[in-house]
């Protein structure tokens, strides 16, 4: 789908952003910690390409779906993984994708409310945004709860919408920006369309249901700002 499609020529009243694979390239740190976690559990470590599948979905889901762990094993893996995060910091081995910081500034200057909606724990998301000086770009910052009860993207989006509503923000023309099919389906559960970015960790097959796929920050800027 091209970005000139009439469905996209809207004056967006609010924009939700995913974090990993959309704003920051966090894959090196995440996959490295995943490999160490699996090694500590005595499990085989898949290829780097396979480990990229873990990036985006709730981490307990990834341990279950990709490593084949049962609930008890998944919790043990989560404990090991979070210990590593605490040791090195949530912003370790991550970087902002080129052009994203400028885009967020442009959107903020245009008066469009922004929200973060990520399946990464909210506390970690805050650390990353603070590290890169992006906290003030967002009206609402929403992530997974520490107990992972709120981790599915639909639940995170629901919480973001609740917080935005409490602030009196107009959600009549809201869009989600992400890189995985979890973003598409999670936002769609609340009637919110999604544009996928190609620089993230999703595959072309994950674009099903997205209203557009963009290959560059400039293309995303055109879609969001016209």
């Amino acid at each position: 789908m091209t970005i000139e499609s009439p469905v996209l020529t809207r004056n967006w009243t609010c924009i939700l952003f995913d974090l990993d694979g959309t704003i920051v390239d966090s894959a090196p740190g995440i996959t490295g910690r995943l490999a160490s976690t699996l090694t500590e559990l005595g499990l085989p470590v898949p290829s780097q390409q396979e480990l990229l599948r873990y990036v985006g979905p709730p981490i307990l889901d990834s341990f279950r779906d990709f490593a084949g762990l049962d609930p008890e094993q998944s919790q043990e893996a989560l404990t090991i993984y979070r210990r590593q995060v605490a040791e090195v910091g949530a912003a370790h081995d991550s970087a902002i994708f080129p052009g994203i910081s400028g885009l967020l500034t442009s959107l903020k200057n245009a008066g469009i409310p922004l929200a973060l909606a990520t399946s990464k724990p909210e506390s970690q998301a805050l650390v990353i945004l603070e590290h890169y000086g992006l906290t003030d770009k967002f009206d609402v910052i929403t992530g997974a709860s520490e107990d992972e009860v709120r981790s599915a993207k639909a639940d995170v989006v629901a919480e973001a919408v609740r917080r935005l509503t409490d602030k009196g923000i107009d959600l009549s023309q809201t869009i989600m920006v992400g890189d995985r099919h979890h973003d598409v389906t999670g936002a769609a559960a609340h009637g919110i369309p999604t544009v996928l970015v190609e620089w993230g960790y999703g595959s072309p097959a994950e674009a099903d249901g997205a209203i557009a796929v963009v290959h560059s920050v400039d293309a995303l800027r055109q879609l969001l700002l016209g």
Side-chain angles (χ1 to χ4, degrees):
M1 179 182 292
T2 63
I3 63 173
E4 290 80 17
S5 173
V7 73
L8 301 180
T9 58
R10 305 181 189 179
N11 293 319
W12 302 108
T13 61
C14 185
I15 303 171
L16 278 61
F17 277 87
D18 175 46
L19 182 62
D20 296 322
T22 302
I23 294 175
V24 297
D25 182 6
S26 51
I30 292 175
T31 57
R33 288 189 289 274
L34 286 168
S36 295
T37 296
L38 295 173
T39 297
E40 188 167 334
L41 290 171
L43 298 171
V45 176
S47 68
Q48 178 71 13
Q49 193 62 35
E50 286 293 307
L51 285 173
L52 280 177
R53 296 198 299 164
Y54 288 62
V55 184
I59 191 166
L60 287 177
D61 290 358
S62 291
F63 284 136
R64 178 196 65 208
D65 297 340
F66 305 133
L69 304 186
D70 62 30
E72 183 178 350
Q73 292 171 322
S74 294
Q75 284 294 338
E76 182 181 3
L78 178 63
T79 298
I80 296 170
Y81 182 88
R82 286 191 171 172
R83 185 195 71 220
Q84 295 179 25
V85 172
E87 290 171 352
V88 301
H92 179 66
D93 286 342
S94 68
I96 303 175
F97 286 108
I100 286 291
S101 181
L103 172 61
L104 294 175
T105 298
S106 296
L107 294 170
K108 192 69 174 176
N109 290 343
I112 304 175
L114 305 179
L116 189 79
T118 174
S119 290
K120 182 185 289 295
E122 192 168 306
S123 59
Q124 293 180 28
L126 281 165
V127 168
I128 291 172
L129 293 180
E130 289 171 0
H131 178 78
Y132 292 112
L134 299 177
T135 307
D136 64 346
K137 302 295 189 291
F138 294 92
D139 296 84
V140 163
I141 296 170
T142 310
S145 56
E146 293 302 316
D147 60 7
E148 294 287 327
V149 170
R150 182 182 72 235
S151 61
K153 184 52 68 88
D155 295 338
V156 172
V157 171
E159 178 62 15
V161 166
R162 184 191 69 78
R163 296 180 188 182
L164 289 163
T165 300
D166 286 348
K167 286 179 171 285
I169 290 173
D170 180 6
L171 301 177
S172 61
Q173 297 291 336
T174 300
I175 191 169
M176 176 85 195
V177 180
D179 71 311
R180 301 296 308 271
H181 69 92
H182 305 85
D183 300 309
V184 178
T185 58
H190 303 281
I192 298 172
T194 297
V195 55
L196 286 189
V197 300
E198 285 189 342
W199 57 79
Y201 311 130
S203 66
E206 297 185 47
D208 187 33
I211 61 171
V213 178
V214 294
H215 68 280
S216 68
V217 173
D218 284 343
L220 180 60
R221 180 188 298 272
Q222 180 183 347
L223 186 153
L224 298 178
L225 287 171

